């Protein structure tokens, strides 16, 4: 596989519409198998993913997103709902067996919340990078009712929705002109 920085970053675009081309289950499994290797603090891996593909499930999800995002979800072959497991620390004895990391989180709701949000956000970014490396286009979005998504897709669990990301082959006619980015000196400081 010859993956370029252009494919992942400089030429890749956020998608607003998708071509009618399915994303095979094997590709979604490959996507996760790449995503899972991205580092998280104390190997906590709090992200949980629902890959919404069927028309019935898309219809449920469309009801949870803003009007501007509804056509994106409808046209995408897949929308990934990336959630954060608020009980991620229960997996730590298996994920980091050399230290009692579970005890650092048990009963500490603010630390659980901050760690789950920060690390599942990083894992969502890894999902985007993995998808682009596999030749998929992405449309990350935050215009949705998280409580409604939780009720529809994570009922009876301790998982809460963090971000959505449409996946598939992007429709070039739906891409907006490239928007500017901030320069190094506007964002970075060498200390």
């Amino acid at each position: 596989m010859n993956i370029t920085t252009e494919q992942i970053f400089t030429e890749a675009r956020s998608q607003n519409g998708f071509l009618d081309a399915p994303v095979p289950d094997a590709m979604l499994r490959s996507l996760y198998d790449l995503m899972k290797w991205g580092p998280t603090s104390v190997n906590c891996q709090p992200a949980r993913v629902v890959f919404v593909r069927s028309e019935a499930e898309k219809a449920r999800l469309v009801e949870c997103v803003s009007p501007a995002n509804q056509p994106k979800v409808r046209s995408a072959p897949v929308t990934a709902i990336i959630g954060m497991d608020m009980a991620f620390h229960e997996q730590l004895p298996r994920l980091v067996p050399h230290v009692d990391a579970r005890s650092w989180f048990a009963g500490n709701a603010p630390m659980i919340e901050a760690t789950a949000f920060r690390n599942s956000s990083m894992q969502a970014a890894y999902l985007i990078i993995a998808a682009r490396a596999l030749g998929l286009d992405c449309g990350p979005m935050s215009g949705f009712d998280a409580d409604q998504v939780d009720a529809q897709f994570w009922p009876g669990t301790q998982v809460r929705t963090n971000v959505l990301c449409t996946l598939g082959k992007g429709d070039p006619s739906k891409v907006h002109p490239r928007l500017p980015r901030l320069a190094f000196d506007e964002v970075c400081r060498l200390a």
Side-chain angles (χ1 to χ4, degrees):
M1 187 178 335
N2 186 17
I3 301 166
T4 66
T5 55
E6 291 80 10
Q7 178 180 343
I8 296 173
F9 293 105
T10 58
E11 297 300 319
R13 304 296 306 280
S14 291
Q15 298 298 311
N16 295 301
F18 290 85
L19 301 175
D20 186 18
V23 176
D25 291 356
M27 171 109 27
L28 297 175
R29 290 181 180 280
S30 294
L31 188 158
Y32 175 74
D33 284 341
L34 288 174
M35 169 193 155
K36 72 182 180 185
W37 295 112
T40 55
S41 63
V42 75
N43 199 33
C44 64
Q45 303 174 53
R48 303 294 179 264
V49 184
V50 174
F51 291 109
V52 176
R53 303 169 306 140
S54 74
E55 291 306 316
E57 295 301 300
K58 278 187 194 184
R60 288 176 56 207
L61 184 56
V62 163
E63 295 301 316
C64 303
V65 301
S66 68
N69 286 334
Q70 290 178 356
K72 298 174 192 181
V73 171
R74 281 190 192 101
S75 73
V78 178
T79 299
I81 303 171
I82 300 98
M84 49 187 164
D85 186 349
M86 304 311 286
F88 71 86
H89 57 287
E90 298 300 336
Q91 298 293 326
L92 292 179
R94 182 166 62 106
L95 298 175
V96 60
H98 61 277
V99 64
D100 181 17
R102 183 191 173 282
S103 67
W104 305 343
F105 296 94
N108 188 342
M111 189 167 177
I112 290 170
E113 171 86 23
T115 302
F117 179 71
R118 182 178 305 112
N119 287 275
S120 66
S121 296
M122 290 190 309
Q123 289 183 283
Y126 302 146
L127 180 140
I128 292 167
I129 292 168
R132 287 175 171 178
L134 292 171
L136 292 173
D137 293 309
C138 304
M141 64 182 79
S142 59
F144 58 88
D145 181 327
D147 291 335
Q148 194 175 356
V149 176
D150 292 350
Q152 291 293 320
F153 293 93
W154 310 111
T157 73
Q158 293 190 53
V159 178
R160 294 189 358 226
T161 303
N162 184 344
V163 67
L164 306 180
C165 185
T166 52
L167 300 166
K169 293 292 182 187
D171 180 347
S173 71
K174 305 281 187 194
V175 175
H176 299 302
R178 171 73 77 186
L179 296 173
R181 298 297 192 264
L182 297 173
F184 182 92
D185 291 335
E186 295 175 284
V187 175
C188 304
R189 178 170 56 97
L190 301 173

